[in-house]
Amino acid sequence: MIFSLQGVVQELTPTYAVVNINGVGYYVGISLMTSQKLILNKETFLFVQQIIREDAHLLFGFHSRLEKEMFNLLISVNGVGAVSALILLSTLSLDEIASAILSGNAALIQKAKGIGAKTAERIIVDLKDKVQKFSNAEENISSVTNNKIKEESLSALEVLGIPKRTSEKIADRILKQNPELSVEELVKQILKNI
């Protein structure tokens, strides 16, 4: 069973990529979310789900483990195939899919091409208890990024002789108002507020 692939992106489209590993090109179905993270002719790492059917051996690649987990949950629902799952992952973010399932919003799930009312209802019924961890997944990722930026900023300020305790409260306040700041911008903002 192929679990992951690491190699150079030889071909890239919104729906598939070819990953070249030591001269062998692996054709991998991908979502738009994953496609946007890949760069042609650059090294990449993909989590892979291998599906073996009578007529084909298929590979599906994902930039994150969470996206792969959501894909596997979706294809576990009767009537949702791999292509439908990829279309849903291309149409909505993981958080939007999880929120739609948790709130029973079939109309949002039906925005994905090829998913009708019955299938949307089945996805909601089958996955309602399984998608809690995907809700706010993006928020968790951004808070980890914020912590890294905050830590680097506080270290830089300590080098300048400013105690960590003094700058930490200011950093928290600034990041709450503007979570997209870079380390340099955050350091400048903290220095203005001391």
Side-chain angles (χ1 to χ4, degrees), residues 7-8 16 35-36 44-45 53 61 77 79 81-82 98 107 133 143 156 172 174 179 186:
V8 175
Y16 76 87
S35 172
Q36 291 169 345
T44 192
F45 176 90
R53 298 192 320 221
V77 176
K133 74 180 195 178
S143 73
D172 287 337
I174 292 167
L186 182 57

Side-chain angles (χ1 to χ4, degrees), residues 49 51 62 65-82 84-86 88-89 94 97-98 101-102 119 122-135:
Q49 182 58 50
I51 296 178
F62 308 94
R65 192 182 289 260
L66 275 179
E67 188 187 14
K68 178 183 174 179
E69 286 175 28
M70 179 64 87
F71 174 83
N72 283 324
L73 283 175
L74 290 168
I75 63 172
S76 74
V77 176
N78 194 5
V80 180
S84 297
L86 279 184
L88 187 53
L89 287 167
L94 295 179
I97 295 169
I101 292 169
L102 291 169
T119 306
R122 205 174 301 125
I123 289 170
I124 290 167
V125 170
D126 288 4
L127 302 183
K128 206 168 190 104
D129 300 333
K130 300 176 183 172
V131 294
Q132 259 81 17
K133 74 180 195 178
F134 297 96
S135 190

Side-chain angles (χ1 to χ4, degrees), residues 145-176:
T145 307
N146 273 354
N147 281 343
K148 191 171 180 229
I149 288 169
K150 179 178 142 186
E151 288 307 314
E152 286 180 25
S153 302
L154 297 180
S155 297
L157 289 163
E158 274 186 302
V159 172
L160 297 173
I162 297 159
K164 193 172 184 175
R165 278 201 308 267
T166 309
S167 52
E168 192 161 20
K169 285 177 186 162
I170 300 167
D172 287 337
R173 193 177 70 232
I174 292 167
L175 281 172
K176 205 172 219 176

